Amino acid sequence: MRVGRRRFLVTGAAAVVAFDPLGLRWVAQATPGTVAVPDLDGELLTDPAALAEAAEDYGQLVHRSPRAVLRPGSTRDVVRMVRFANRHRIAVAMRGQGHSTFGQAQSAGVVIDSRPLSDIAVRGTTAVVGAGATWGSLVDAALALGMTPPVATDYLGLSIGGTLSVGGIGGASQHHGSQVDTVRSLEVVTGTGDLVRCAPGDRLFDAVLGGLGQYGLIVRAWLDLVPAAATARVYKLTYDHLTDLTAAQRIAVRDGRFSYVEGQIVPAEGGWAYVLEAASYHDTEPDDAKLLAGLPPADAEITDLPYRAWLNRITDVVDQIRPLRLPNPWVNLFLPDAGTDAFVADVLSRLTPAEVGGGPILLYPVHRARMTRPMVRLPDTDLVFLLSILRALPADDATVDALLADNRAMYDDAVRIGGTQYPIGSIPVTPADWQRHYGARYRRVLADKATYDPRRVLTPGQHVFG
Ligand SMILES: Cc1cc2nc3c(=O)[nH]c(=O)nc-3n(C[C@H](O)[C@H](O)[C@H](O)COP(=O)(O)OP(=O)(O)OC[C@H]3O[C@@H](n4cnc5c(N)ncnc54)[C@H](O)[C@@H]3O)c2cc1C
């Protein structure tokens, strides 16, 4: 039953009209002690399907049902709901595409579904986007005008607000930093329900980009665009030895000869093989010999793909895997350059392909100096390697627990050599770990929380503050 636009809404049987702050329930009838739900342009849902969707994510490891899901009809709805949540101390999280793996977008209070906030306008070298738009829809809109975001994640079906809340890294990050480094300004709803526009130099801007939804919910972003090339020439060089892969990556990333550099570790006869994946985006034929000069020798597989098809290369695979609802206990670590080879060799000596399942293992470097946003915590070395073990496997609870413990052990080992986690995965951590994660910035982190979300209602699934 819908109670009409600009009223609150519908829930299986009856319309929600009020919140019972003592019973922490939404109710269909206002009685003394209940408080009226704010007037909304969109819908506040409590039907089982809406709650069930918000209670799960890509990882299939954590399931926490909210009491209601807001499908906002406007930015104003986000303001009103967060203000309401703040007043009544209701936990609230924004959920983009739910591609977190460990409950990061879940909340026992309200989940705000950002997908309706998906408008996109492309103006020259800037895109103005609603936080719920996906990178895929932005790529389509930008390419229609010959432009592209400078950094694409490997999978384009992620929301822009979701990746700006974590960082957003890809093979072009060696040149442009993370996606958070390509943001010109933001519109944010803070934990007190204030709608604020912020830009580089503003404290809120620093806090929110890569801020894991702790200081504000991004509702709109102004993003850089660059001219798009027509074609991606893709190079795959397969090595028998890890050190050949990382040597090739260091050479290629230091001189920036490719537009994109990543790498994969794949199961092979008797162990692992190491694949450098690089691409040159071009409108005129690239010089293969020049691009491959000086790299450790390897058989090279070279293919040309239209640029859009290249960016879209894993969409079908992900869209097939997600409905299988496999547990995805991912571990994602940033490693200091000097420690990377020994660390990865040690991990691989103990890891079996069966413990990874059908997911890939990624390994690639980026320039630390290009990653400028202070909340994306990285080792302090010129080059930083991302190691992502993207496990996807059928597993019972005991196996999942063992894999999570293994993730934790890897994280501890990484921290010992100066590494950090890229917080998109499934590593059990405590507030003390977050304190260590933020290091010298932790005092600012606490101060920002006190300023922008003093009642700590935002994004509880990250467990940064408890
Ligand atoms: C198949 C796959 C491929 C991936 N590839 C890459 C990759 O190449 N590079 C990379 O960097 N990452 C990658 N990721 C990780 C991904 O970037 C993060 O998990 C990202 O947060 C997911 O976006 P989402 O829209 O699904 O976010 P959600 O899971 O919905 O949310 C993620 C977190 O951000 C918060 N949040 C969401 N929207 C907002 C908002 N508007 N304002 C404030 N907080 C918000 C949520 O509350 C939650 O804490 C990949 C993930 C998957 C599943």
Side-chain angles (χ1 to χ4, degrees):
M1 181 174 71
R2 181 180 292 263
V3 186
R5 199 167 156 77
R6 309 246 330 110
R7 298 286 295 168
F8 26 90
L9 250 238
V10 188
T11 83
V16 168
V17 299
F19 180 71
D20 169 7
L22 288 180
L24 294 178
R25 295 177 301 135
W26 304 93
V27 291
Q29 209 172 4
T31 53
T34 60
V35 280
V37 170
D39 197 15
L40 297 170
D41 297 323
E43 302 176 336
L44 188 65
L45 305 167
T46 59
D47 62 281
L51 300 187
E53 184 186 38
E56 69 165 38
D57 59 32
Y58 196 86
Q60 297 292 331
L61 301 167
V62 175
H63 298 275
R64 189 181 301 110
S65 180
R67 289 174 192 277
V69 173
L70 172 66
R71 223 157 263 166
S74 60
T75 293
R76 205 184 69 127
D77 280 0
V78 180
V79 169
R80 292 199 159 185
M81 186 48 69
V82 174
R83 213 169 267 173
F84 187 82
N86 180 55
R87 190 174 316 125
H88 300 290
R89 297 181 187 269
I90 302 168
V92 55
M94 194 163 250
R95 182 181 194 271
Q97 293 289 323
H99 280 85
S100 299
T101 60
F102 210 35
Q104 287 94 332
Q106 297 177 23
S107 160
V110 174
V111 166
I112 301 178
D113 178 352
S114 73
R115 288 174 299 186
L117 306 175
S118 59
D119 53 300
I120 296 176
V122 174
R123 298 178 196 140
T125 58
T126 308
V128 188
V129 296
T134 62
W135 286 96
S137 48
L138 173 57
V139 164
D140 286 340
L143 281 181
L145 297 168
M147 306 298 282
T148 180
V151 182
T153 43
D154 296 341
Y155 173 59
L156 296 181
L158 308 167
S159 79
I160 290 170
T163 73
L164 296 186
S165 300
V166 294
I169 187 169
S173 291
Q174 49 153 340
H175 293 296
H176 304 285
S178 296
Q179 289 173 329
V180 288
D181 296 289
T182 68
V183 180
R184 295 191 180 169
S185 65
L186 293 173
E187 215 167 61
V188 172
V189 177
T190 66
T192 48
D194 295 304
L195 181 64
V196 182
R197 175 90 183 256
C198 57
D202 294 337
R203 186 172 152 193
L204 183 61
F205 190 78
D206 282 351
V208 164
L209 289 174
L212 309 179
Q214 296 303 306
Y215 317 94
L217 304 180
I218 299 166
V219 287
R220 186 174 300 280
W222 283 254
L223 304 174
D224 284 339
L225 296 176
V226 294
T231 308
R233 176 158 296 180
V234 183
Y235 301 82
K236 287 194 178 169
L237 310 185
T238 302
Y239 295 105
D240 292 333
H241 302 289
L242 170 66
T243 46
D244 282 339
L245 169 66
T246 53
Q249 289 175 320
R250 289 186 182 101
I251 293 167
V253 164
R254 286 219 169 91
D255 65 22
R257 64 181 73 184
F258 292 109
S259 314
Y260 161 108
V261 171
E262 291 197 8
Q264 294 187 17
I265 298 168
V266 296
E269 192 72 37
W272 303 95
Y274 306 90
V275 183
L276 173 71
E277 185 180 58
S280 175
Y281 303 154
H282 65 276
D283 294 313
T284 52
E285 193 80 354
D287 181 339
D288 295 339
K290 203 168 156 195
L291 283 168
L292 298 175
L295 303 183
D299 284 339
E301 189 190 315
I302 303 176
T303 42
D304 279 332
L305 279 177
Y307 178 71
R308 178 67 174 89
W310 159 250
L311 292 190
N312 219 21
R313 64 199 176 279
I314 69 164
T315 302
D316 288 348
V317 177
V318 173
D319 291 349
Q320 280 165 23
I321 290 177
R322 189 164 189 184
L324 301 179
R325 297 181 156 187
L326 295 174
N328 282 254
W330 287 10
V331 57
N332 303 271
L333 302 168
F334 286 120
L335 303 170
D337 186 11
T340 294
D341 290 10
F343 183 91
V344 177
D346 182 52
V347 165
L348 294 177
S349 71
R350 285 180 280 113
L351 192 69
T352 63
E355 290 167 328
V356 183
I361 303 176
L362 306 181
L363 178 70
Y364 61 92
V366 291
H367 289 286
R368 171 75 186 78
R370 309 246 154 87
M371 314 274 276
T372 64
R373 296 287 94 222
M375 291 300 280
V376 178
R377 307 304 292 173
L378 297 167
D380 197 12
T381 53
D382 289 350
L383 287 186
V384 168
F385 277 80
L386 174 67
L387 171 66
S388 287
I389 303 177
L390 307 179
R391 310 178 199 259
L393 67 178
D396 58 22
D397 288 353
T399 308
V400 164
D401 286 348
L403 294 173
L404 292 175
D406 191 38
N407 287 355
R408 173 71 213 202
M410 267 189 251
Y411 170 63
D412 286 335
D413 289 345
V415 168
R416 268 191 282 280
I417 64 161
T420 57
Q421 70 148 319
Y422 180 35
I424 60 169
S426 318
I427 303 174
V429 286
T430 64
D433 294 313
W434 287 112
Q435 180 169 355
R436 186 174 50 182
H437 180 79
Y438 290 113
R441 196 176 171 82
Y442 191 63
R443 282 170 70 125
R444 169 61 80 88
V445 163
L446 288 176
D448 286 344
K449 191 69 174 172
T451 302
Y452 299 117
D453 182 25
R455 293 187 158 178
R456 299 191 170 188
V457 293
L458 292 182
T459 322
Q462 296 281 4
H463 302 293
V464 175
F465 300 98

